Amino acid sequence: MVVNAPTSNIVSAAELAVGLMLAAARHISPAHQALRRGEWMRSRYTGVELYEKTVGIVGLGRIGVLVAQRLSAFGMKVVAYDPYVQAGRAAQMGVRLVELDTLLREADFMSVHLPKTPETLGLIGAEQLAKVKPSLVLVNAARGGIVDEVALHSALKEGRVAAAGLDVFTQEPCTDSPLFELDNVVATPHLGASTDEAQEKAGLAVARSVRLALAGELVPDAVNVQGGVIAEDVRPGIPLTEKLGRVFTGLAGEVAQQIDVEVRGEITDYDVKVLELAALKGVFADIVEEQVSYVNAPLLAAERGCAVRLVADPESPDHRNLITIRGTLADGAQVSVSGTLVGINQKERLVEVNGFDVDIEPTDHLAFFRYEDRPGMVGTVGRILGDAGVNIAGMQVSRDTKGGQALVALSVDTEIPSDSLAEIQEAIEAASVRAVNLV
């Protein structure tokens, strides 16, 4: 597993971007140099305020959001361009999402916070700089090459852009650039992550990742785990999905030939690929001897001929979000288990087992008995477990029709002995008896 620490320097990078913006707006660098030369030049270096100006954030990712928050505190109006962010999400942060051309026309200040990709390389070039206000102050503390340096130099020299703050360059190290000759440019040598705090956070983040990896747990910052960045709204569903995978295996009793991981509800607004990985990790946790991780789980499925499909649907009639693992066994039988998170504390609940509606907490020890619906069966189950010294923590009885098939779902405090399971099966003439231990 290969990990990085992508969030360790985001605060440092955001603060540097704000610092460059202030330095460029107030001519701090040339004024400082003049003073060091013994020149007192107050009138020459009259700057502009940020207050009540419009700042355009190009790229509303983690750093872009931090910059927007900080500049809002300066009393600035914030607009942003990011084709991968929803307008409603931006509005919650007090940011108006606009097209790039609109941002270029409206912005008094502009700060770039995009990754460097083939799509973003040269995104701010001569054509774009021709559309901006001549009073624009432009900051790039993201990646060199997103802003065309030749076009920027021309715009600055010709007065079509007022000033620029730069921390990154197309070629690095960069110690000789025409931009450095201009008084209206403040430049730093890629210092975005260069703070004591950022370096310490990086070390701690890597240490945490190593510990998680060695324990076979999810490492959110693993670069070779499918699914990419995990949204905060998706993360609470990860441990639930792992448990659903283990319950699925306990119900199935074998490796399924086909598994569908169905994710429904609001979280489908985000990338939920990690929930497929979490399901597979749970499915194989009690089947293979080797440690199952988010990296090797898809390989284990492929080796065992298990086809996996992720299904995402924003419609979820009964629950805000619902996660279902549904599989087909070798004999064609269907197995399914569903779960959700409820309440402010996001408590885990099993809400469906093989088509039966239930509502039970997925504790360490679970049991499921399917039998023909008739009186006295619940009491019989309780008596046998009581004789075995097994305490029932929760019980849910569900049936398809009156007198039809019924399911008892139990959470118990301790593992049920195998002889007690056999006794229950015989006593209630159960068609299926399954015990699942999640410890």
Side-chain angles (χ1 to χ4, degrees), residues 354 356 368-372 405-408 428-433:
N354 286 336
F356 291 92
F368 306 93
F369 310 126
R370 184 168 59 83
Y371 59 94
E372 185 179 324
Q405 290 292 302
L407 178 81
V408 168
I428 68 174
E429 298 178 2
S432 173
V433 171

Side-chain angles (χ1 to χ4, degrees), residues 243-307:
K243 289 180 182 177
L244 293 177
R246 296 184 68 182
V247 172
F248 175 89
T249 293
L251 294 170
E254 62 181 79
V255 176
Q257 290 190 334
Q258 166 75 43
I259 292 178
D260 286 348
V261 181
E262 302 172 3
V263 184
R264 303 182 186 278
E266 297 175 0
I267 55 172
T268 58
D269 290 341
Y270 306 97
D271 186 346
V272 292
K273 179 69 175 177
V274 69
L275 297 183
E276 178 186 332
L277 301 177
L280 290 178
K281 184 173 183 289
V283 164
F284 289 101
D286 301 317
I287 293 178
V288 300
E289 292 184 0
E290 63 188 286
Q291 182 171 296
V292 185
S293 72
Y294 286 77
V295 173
N296 69 2
L299 301 177
L300 293 172
E303 288 172 358
R304 285 156 179 78
C306 177

